[in-house]
Amino acid sequence: MIKAVIFDMDGVIIDSEMEYLKYIYEFAKEKNPDILIEDLYGTVGTTKRDCWIVVEKAVDNGESWEELRQQYRSRWDEVFELVDYQAIFRPEVLTVMDWIRERGFKLAVASSTNIEQVTKILTMNHVAERLELMVSGGMFKRSKPDPEIYFYTAEKLGVKPEECLVIEDSTVGITAAHSAGMHVAALIDRRFNFDRSLADFELGSLNDIPGLVEKISGNAVRRAVYPDWLQNI
């Protein structure tokens, strides 16, 4: 049975993926005016390295992905201040989380975003007060798709990995939770080519979560599975 529900933040609690993509597009267009935003869809929901390799290929101006990323990092604080995180917040998550808490399940957020941003975004949208734990990928040497963030979250919650249901959207997040041996529900986002094949369930909406929790709360445990390619990330 499950004892805890763990949410990703970007793309799940907030619909931030397209917002962040717009700013990367503006940056890339300064380098190559002919670039299309569709050329950058591969940057969404992936590792930082893979994200900027996509930018390097799209920009195609001789600069390496490391150089491009370093240049953009100087803009990141500005981007963080410009995004309206209340406008892209999915308010139905509050009702869902209240339902989960009322039934005695533990709640956490495990996000690849730095803890300062996670705390600010979740506090302004009244999510933080509903959680037992907020965890950032910045706390670890390797973030998603490495499963360490999910092992750590389960340990801090006092539950086993197989007793957790994770709500994710991206390929790397789904992979991380699956590799930790957790139940994984993927929130469907058809704008991007996310691979949801490792997810146990798919969600059309966050409102589908209570029904899913009721369905699987007594299911048999999962085991941790580590893909061979994960060791090379």
Side-chain angles (χ1 to χ4, degrees):
M1 63 181 294
I2 64 169
K3 296 181 179 179
V5 182
I6 306 170
F7 286 78
D8 177 37
M9 185 179 75
D10 288 294
V12 176
I13 294 175
I14 54 172
D15 187 15
S16 56
E17 308 288 23
M18 187 60 78
E19 286 297 309
Y20 293 148
L21 179 60
K22 289 176 184 176
Y23 289 103
I24 294 178
Y25 174 58
E26 288 178 7
F27 170 77
K29 201 169 179 64
E30 293 173 8
K31 305 283 186 178
N32 178 358
D34 296 326
I35 199 169
L36 302 175
I37 194 168
E38 290 81 5
D39 297 331
L40 300 173
Y41 275 10
T43 65
V44 179
T46 187
T47 64
K48 290 182 175 63
R49 179 181 182 276
D50 288 345
C51 166
W52 286 97
I53 286 176
V54 171
V55 177
E56 176 189 349
K57 181 179 179 180
V59 168
D60 193 25
N61 70 343
E63 292 182 284
S64 69
W65 70 266
E66 294 97 336
E67 292 171 322
L68 293 167
R69 181 188 175 197
Q70 185 61 37
Q71 292 171 37
Y72 186 74
R73 286 178 71 177
S74 65
R75 302 187 181 192
W76 178 240
D77 288 342
E78 179 183 353
V79 170
F80 178 56
E81 294 300 326
L82 288 172
V83 174
D84 184 347
Y85 288 101
Q86 291 178 306
I88 61 174
F89 174 64
R90 292 187 168 119
E92 62 269 26
V93 75
L94 299 180
T95 303
V96 170
M97 286 185 170
D98 287 342
W99 185 94
I100 292 170
R101 291 177 68 208
E102 288 168 2
R103 282 150 184 82
F105 296 98
K106 297 183 177 183
L107 268 175
V109 165
S111 171
S112 295
T113 302
N114 70 69
I115 194 62
E116 292 80 13
Q117 291 174 317
V118 170
T119 301
K120 181 175 181 178
I121 293 167
L122 297 185
T123 298
M124 74 168 61
N125 286 302
H126 304 288
V127 173
E129 63 205 59
R130 291 169 162 81
L131 303 174
E132 295 185 48
L133 184 65
M134 291 182 285
V135 182
S136 164
M139 300 164 60
F140 311 97
K141 290 183 179 180
R142 301 197 306 184
S143 189
K144 304 172 186 177
D146 190 278
E148 183 178 8
I149 187 172
Y150 281 120
F151 283 132
Y152 176 91
T153 303
E155 180 183 1
K156 290 298 181 181
L157 289 174
V159 298
K160 298 175 182 178
E162 60 265 25
E163 295 173 331
C164 298
L165 169 66
V166 175
I167 314 300
E168 275 282 2
D169 66 314
S170 68
T171 305
V172 295
I174 292 167
T175 301
H178 173 83
S179 297
M182 297 179 172
H183 301 271
V184 189
L187 181 64
I188 298 171
D189 190 335
R190 301 193 188 282
R191 295 171 296 181
F192 310 110
N193 190 31
F194 293 147
D195 182 355
R196 299 188 298 275
S197 61
L198 293 179
D200 302 291
F201 312 96
E202 293 188 344
L203 302 169
S205 162
L206 294 179
N207 289 321
D208 296 337
I209 294 173
L212 177 59
V213 171
E214 288 185 333
K215 176 182 178 181
I216 68 172
S217 58
N219 275 10
V221 300
R222 291 176 49 79
R223 63 180 181 88
V225 179
Y226 300 92
D228 292 339
W229 58 265
L230 187 59
Q231 306 304 318
N232 299 318
I233 292 179

